[in-house]
Every structure is written in structure tokens, then in C-alpha cells.
């Protein structure tokens, strides 16, 4: 049978979809990249922001229409929105056959079989609190190719940020045993993967029977063949001294970090339930910079949270200036049903949210341009990931997270360069990437 998976939302969802594909492939499915011809259509939904939720539900509606012409289709609505809505999804989109929360992907093949046989609707939501067979312990078995891979180290979240639905749809935090993580990374490295990104909602809160996140990073630093380690998303409250110092001495730990701050106003942070102040965040940034002076720090910011005044917002702009973020994912606050913040009015008008978002973009765009300009003339260590923007070019990522395009070096081909580390001098800035030229003679590692 053929299956098509449409993914919405964050990297964790992207990774979950990869693992769903892996589980289905092991059960004889062929994964297709278009819905046409597939018997099983899977929507891996997101509900973090209202917009994501609308997108997922309208995709389910669109795919559902296909059932009018084909009675052998099975539609699976999976992910965070599925967990949140449960059986209500059947009322919204009657064409859906199976509603599946994120803790039940391991049973997907048997559940698909069941709904196809019984021709009835079925939902599986709720959290497994670390039972054997838990999705977290299911290592991908399929052939993992490529230069870079995601590795889950924890799932769920036990924070209570007042705006956020994640703890309600992903359950409490649960950690994967450090031995399992190391084993998976070792096997990835043996198969040619050179860079791993560790995933978790508060990834740096990791603590498995006394092994801290910094301990885990130190163990991964010794995995033969592994060149780079990244992680997302850390919470500023868990940026321990040990972790910050790891950036200074672990060779594999890349000099870039995505550290969501959400607001530059301590008053707002308190109301958001973030459990740190703007001053604490500034200190973390300072310490990261003294541990690793060339580190690039990016962040997430919510504008127009309930009660945010112009003054609060200006403090956010001030923090962006001072922290010199290399990138900001910015979002207009949207109220999510069931979250603690629904007790307050969503009182910043939509027009004002838009204005604040635009003002934030003006500031961050300037800073990003300045930071990128500083990179011109520098030599970056680029991990080649594929063909570049133009024919005859390669593309890859530098350790600091920047995307670099450069001509295939003399004596090399796309095939021979793929997965190699090459020193590239940055020659000019492009809108979303850097253009460079390999240092000759090429030292491809
Ligand atoms: N665990 C991560 C974030 C997960 S959600 C962390 O703590 O940083 C990804 C981002 O979506 C958040 O960082 C936040 O900026 C944004 N977000 C979450 N809920 C939101 C809401 N109700 N409205 C607008 N943005 C939201
Ligand atoms: Fe949501 Fe906060 Fe948990 Fe991040 S840390 S997932 S924002 S509750």
C-alpha cells in the first residue's frame, strides 16, 4: 500500500513524520510524496498557533474530498491537533477515519488495518507515561542516509507557559535513556551521518537517572565519526553553567543556539509563566558569548501577548538590539483553547500586533544584515548537504548555522563532495544565504 504524509509545524513534527514513514515502510508501505495514488493519507497536525491549526484542519478537509471518488482511502489525522480535539475531529471532518495522538504512532499499521477492515472510525489519544513500546524508545530501523539527522532525547513538556498548548497535547516531559541516545547516534555516525540535532521541547532539562544534558553532550562528543551536535529547543531556565561552558570545550558542539526568549519584558515573562527574567536571559547571553565568542544566537518572540504595553514591547526591541540575535522567529499571540492565558483577554488589537511585528522585523533585519556582513572574508567550515542554488554549485551549513552556497571545487563532483566538510571563504551576501568559494587546495574531510 502507498501512504502520503503531510506535515505541519515544528522540527519535532518533521521528525515524527520521518519516524511514521519508517514504521510504515517496515510494514511494507511505500511512502509517496503526492496524495494521488496513495491509499492512506496522513495529516501530521500542529496546534501551537491558531493559524497552524486552521491549516491542518483545512488540509484534512481537502484530502477528505478525495473520498468521493475513491472508497479505498483511509484518512489519518495525527499529531498535536488530533490529541487536542480527539473525537471532535470526526464532527469537523467526517471523512477522517483515524484520529491519532503523538504517543500512538507505534501502533499506526495495526490501527490502519483495523479501520480498513471494520470500516469504522477510531481514535487513540492520551499519553503513555513511559511504558515499554513507547514511541520514544522506538529507534528508526530504516536506512538513514544523509549527512544530518534528528534524534529525540525527550518528549512532552512540564513547563506551564501560560500561552502554550504543548504540555496539553504532548503530555509531561519524559526522557529517553542516555544509553539509547548514544547508541542511536553511534549507529547514525557509522552510516555516514555527521551532524545530529537533539530534539525536545525543553531539551536542556534532560536528566536521565542523574545524567544531565551537559553529560549527554559530553558523551556524544566522543562518538567516532560524529562532527557536529546541535539541539533544539533549550529553555533559558535550564542553561546551567556546565551547559554554557560546554560550548567552550566540546569540539562537536556547534557555535549556534536557538534560545527562545519570548519577550524582553520581565513583567511579560512573569505573566507568560517563563520562570526567568529579562535580566537572567541577558546574563545567559553574556556567558554564552564569553564561553564561545563567535556563537550565533537566535530566538522566538511572541508579540501582542495579553497585557503587553508599548513599553513592554520596547523592552523586547531593546533586548533584540543588545543580544544581537542572528535570527528571530516572531509570532503574533493567538489564544489557544484550554491554556491558562485564556483567563485574560486577548487585548492587543490585531492591527497593533501587526504593527509590532513589522517594527520587530525592521530591527532584526538590520541586525542580521550587520552580523552577516561581518562574516564576509571569514573562512567557514561547511558541511555539504546537496546541490546549490545555481548549476555547478554546492550548498551546506556552516557550524554557526549559516547556509553557504559555493561552486563545486576543482577535482570534485556533487557526489564526492556530499557529506564532506570543506573550508569555504565567504565572498558575498545573498538574501537568505552566503556565497563563498572553497579554499584551495581543497581539504575535504
Ligand atoms: N518549547 C519551545 C517552543 C515550542 S512552541 C520553547 O519553550 O521555546 C514554538 C514557539 O511558538 C514558541 O517559542 C512561541 O514563540 C510560539 N508560540 C507558542 N504558543 C503560542 C501562542 N499561543 N501564540 C503565539 N505564539 C505561540
Ligand atoms: Fe510551551 Fe513553554 Fe513548554 Fe515551550 S517550554 S513547549 S513554550 S510550555
Amino acid at each position: 500500500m502507498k501512504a502520503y504524509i503531510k506535515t505541519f509545524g515544528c522540527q519535532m513534527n518533521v521528525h515524527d513524520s520521518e519516524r511514521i514513514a519508517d514504521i510504515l515502510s517496515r510494514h511494507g508501505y511505500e511512502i509517496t510524496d503526492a496524495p494521488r495514488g496513495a491509499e492512506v493519507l496522513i495529516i501530521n497536525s500542529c496546534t501551537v498557533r491558531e493559524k497552524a491549526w486552521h491549516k491542518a484542519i483545512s488540509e484534512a478537509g481537502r484530502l477528505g474530498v478525495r473520498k468521493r471518488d475513491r472508497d479505498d482511502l483511509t484518512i489519518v489525522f495525527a499529531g498535536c491537533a488530533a490529541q487536542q480535539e480527539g473525537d471532535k475531529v470526526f464532527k469537523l471532518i467526517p471523512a477522517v477515519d483515524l484520529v491519532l495522538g503523538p504517543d500512538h504512532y507505534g501502533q499506526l499499521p495495526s490501527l490502519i488495518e483495523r479501520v480498513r477492515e471494520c470500516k469504522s472510525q477510531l481514535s487513540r489519544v492520551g499519553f503513555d507515561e513511559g511504558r515499554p513500546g513507547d514511541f520514544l524508545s522506538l529507534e528508526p530501523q530504516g536506512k538513514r542516509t544523509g549527512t544530518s539527522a534528528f534524534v529525540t532525547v525527550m518528549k512532552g513538556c512540564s513547563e506551564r507557559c501560560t500561552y502554550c498548548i504543548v504540555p496539553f497535547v504532548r503530555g509531561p516531559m519524559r526522557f529517553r535513556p542516555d544509553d539509547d541516545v548514544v547508541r542511536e547516534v553511534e549507529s547514525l555516525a557509522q552510516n555516514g551521518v555527521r551532524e545530529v540535532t537533539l530534539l525536545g521541547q525543553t531539551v536542556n532539562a534532560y536528566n536521565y537517572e542523574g545524567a544531565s544534558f551537559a553529560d549527554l553532550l559530553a558523551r556524544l562528543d566522543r562518538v567516532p565519526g560524529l562532527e557536529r551536535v546541535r539541539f533544539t529547543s533549550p529553555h533559558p531556565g535550564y542553561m546551567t553553567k556546565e551547559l554554557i561552558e560546554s560550548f567552550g570545550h566540546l569540539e562537536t558542539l556547534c557555535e549556534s543556539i536557538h534560545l527562545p526568549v519570548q519577550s524582553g519584558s520581565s513583567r511579560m515573562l512573569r505573566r507568560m509563566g517563563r520562570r526567568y527574567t529579562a535580566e537572567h536571559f541577558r546574563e545567559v547571553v553574556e556567558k554564552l558569548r564569553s564561553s564561545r565568542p563567535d556563537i550565533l544566537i537566535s530566538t522566538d518572540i511572541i508579540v501582542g501577548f495579553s497585557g503587553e504595553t508599548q513599553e513592554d514591547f520596547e523592552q523586547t526591541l531593546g533586548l533584540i538590539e543588545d543580544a544581537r540575535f542572528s535570527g528571530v522567529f516572531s509570532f503574533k499571540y493567538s489564544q489557544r483553547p484550554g491554556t491558562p492565558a485564556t483567563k485574560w483577554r486577548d487585548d492587543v488589537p490585531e492591527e497593533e500586533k501587526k504593527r509590532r511585528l513589522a517594527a520587530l522585523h525592521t530591527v532584526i533585519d538590520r541586525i542580521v544584515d550587520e552580523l552577516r556582513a561581518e562574516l564576509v572574508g571569514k573562512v567557514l567550515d561547511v558541511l555539504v548537504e546537496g546541490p546549490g542554488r545555481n548549476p555547478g554549485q554546492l550548498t551546506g551549513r556552516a557550524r554557526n548555522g549559516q547556509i553557504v552556497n559555493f561552486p563545486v571545487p576543482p577535482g570534485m563532483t556533487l557526489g564526492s563532495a556530499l557529506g564532506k566538510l570543506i573550508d569555504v571563504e565567504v565572498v558575498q551576501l545573498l538574501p537568505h544565504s552566503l556565497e563563498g568559494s572553497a579554499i584551495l587546495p581543497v581539504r575535504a574531510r
Side-chain angles (χ1 to χ4, degrees):
M1 262 201 306
K2 289 188 182 153
Y4 165 76
I5 310 172
K6 172 86 184 178
T7 309
F8 294 91
C10 61
Q11 278 169 321
M12 326 237 166
N13 262 17
V14 173
H15 183 49
D16 281 359
S17 291
E18 285 173 10
R19 300 172 89 199
I20 291 172
D22 186 67
I23 291 171
L24 291 177
S25 308
R26 272 187 278 146
H27 281 80
Y29 283 81
E30 185 189 325
I31 308 297
T32 64
D33 47 17
R36 192 167 348 130
E39 287 90 1
V40 178
L41 306 175
I42 303 169
I43 297 116
N44 188 2
S45 65
C46 171
T47 182
V48 164
R49 292 170 292 277
E50 199 180 3
K51 213 158 126 192
W53 151 246
H54 284 304
K55 274 195 203 159
I57 213 76
S58 43
E59 181 71 14
R62 252 193 315 276
L63 292 177
V65 172
R66 291 170 181 262
K67 269 194 162 174
R68 288 189 197 143
D69 307 320
R70 286 185 60 180
D71 57 8
D72 64 335
L73 277 188
T74 301
I75 300 194
V76 182
F77 192 75
C80 297
Q83 177 64 43
Q84 187 194 356
E85 300 295 325
D87 288 354
K88 278 192 253 158
V89 173
F90 299 132
K91 285 215 181 74
L92 285 167
I93 314 284
V96 169
D97 299 286
L98 179 58
V99 172
L100 202 65
D103 274 6
H104 302 272
Y105 298 152
Q107 306 156 39
L108 188 54
S110 59
L111 291 173
I112 292 175
E113 218 169 280
R114 224 163 106 189
V115 292
R116 287 180 79 87
E117 261 170 36
C118 307
K119 299 211 175 312
S120 60
Q121 290 173 315
L122 197 72
S123 70
R124 280 283 181 284
V125 290
F127 308 116
D128 60 37
E129 305 232 357
R131 286 195 305 269
D134 181 327
F135 190 53
L136 193 59
S137 63
L138 292 178
E139 267 174 44
Q141 302 293 315
K143 197 161 170 279
R144 304 279 290 275
T145 49
T147 55
S148 192
F150 292 125
V151 175
T152 307
V153 303
M154 65 166 300
K155 64 178 184 180
C157 180
S158 294
E159 293 296 308
R160 283 292 176 270
C161 303
T162 54
Y163 52 80
C164 186
I165 201 153
V166 170
F168 302 93
V169 293
R170 290 274 173 167
M173 68 177 169
R174 282 144 291 165
F175 305 119
R176 191 170 167 202
D178 50 341
D179 287 346
D180 284 7
V181 176
V182 173
R183 194 162 14 86
E184 185 180 348
V185 174
E186 280 170 349
S187 119
L188 287 167
Q190 275 160 18
N191 284 300
V193 168
R194 310 199 75 191
E195 175 182 271
V196 293
T197 303
L198 308 180
L199 292 178
Q201 289 295 350
T202 51
V203 71
N204 54 338
Y206 181 87
N207 194 311
Y208 186 78
E209 293 181 354
S212 70
F213 190 59
D215 295 338
L216 182 65
L217 293 177
R219 281 189 72 182
L220 296 180
D221 198 51
R222 298 192 290 270
V223 170
L226 186 70
E227 295 286 339
R228 296 175 169 186
V229 176
R230 306 181 187 280
F231 54 84
T232 193
S233 284
H235 185 286
Y238 297 96
M239 291 302 293
T240 59
K241 183 168 174 282
E242 222 188 343
L243 173 56
I244 293 173
E245 287 172 358
S246 303
F247 282 92
H249 64 84
L250 293 185
E251 263 181 48
T252 54
L253 190 57
C254 290
E255 51 273 27
S256 79
I257 183 170
H258 182 72
L259 187 60
V261 64
Q262 315 299 358
S263 170
S265 147
S266 293
R267 194 182 77 87
M268 277 295 106
L269 289 171
R270 194 172 340 110
R271 195 165 159 93
M272 287 175 165
R274 288 293 284 181
R275 305 196 303 108
Y276 55 85
T277 60
E279 294 68 40
H280 172 80
F281 186 86
R282 284 168 185 268
E283 266 169 42
V284 170
V285 166
E286 210 171 286
K287 287 180 186 156
L288 279 167
R289 291 241 151 84
S290 40
S291 174
R292 187 76 219 217
D294 53 351
I295 195 166
L296 291 185
I297 305 172
S298 56
T299 199
D300 286 355
I301 283 174
I302 298 176
V303 300
F305 183 57
S306 166
E308 187 187 70
T309 61
Q310 176 62 21
E311 197 190 323
D312 293 314
F313 176 63
E314 279 167 15
Q315 288 178 15
T316 298
L317 294 184
L319 177 70
I320 296 176
E321 289 278 2
D322 298 343
R324 295 188 67 69
F325 292 119
S326 60
V328 174
F329 291 119
S330 50
F331 309 103
K332 286 182 287 175
Y333 170 58
S334 59
Q335 225 172 28
R336 306 307 296 123
T339 56
T342 51
K343 65 175 180 267
W344 301 311
R345 270 189 341 112
D346 180 6
D347 55 359
V348 178
E350 180 62 22
E351 277 312 304
E352 182 56 20
K353 285 182 187 165
K354 278 193 191 150
R355 193 196 64 76
R356 289 184 192 174
L357 203 61
L360 184 150
H361 284 160
T362 310
V363 174
I364 188 65
D365 288 352
R366 173 175 47 76
I367 294 172
V368 169
D369 283 350
E370 286 166 10
L371 286 175
R372 281 166 17 103
E374 284 168 19
L375 294 173
V376 176
K378 292 235 159 71
V379 176
L380 302 176
D381 182 22
V382 177
L383 178 60
V384 180
E385 286 173 1
R389 290 160 40 99
N390 300 317
Q393 276 196 333
L394 298 171
T395 192
R397 225 170 251 278
R399 280 177 57 102
N400 64 10
Q402 296 286 306
I403 296 171
V404 185
N405 286 285
F406 62 102
V408 179
M412 294 196 89
T413 59
L414 169 63
S416 68
L418 214 57
K420 294 277 186 327
L421 290 161
I422 298 181
D423 290 333
V424 179
E425 180 180 344
V426 180
V427 289
Q428 66 163 324
L429 306 178
L430 299 174
H432 300 289
S433 62
L434 305 171
E435 190 155 298
S437 168
I439 298 289
L440 301 177
V442 184
R443 212 167 51 88
R445 305 172 306 277

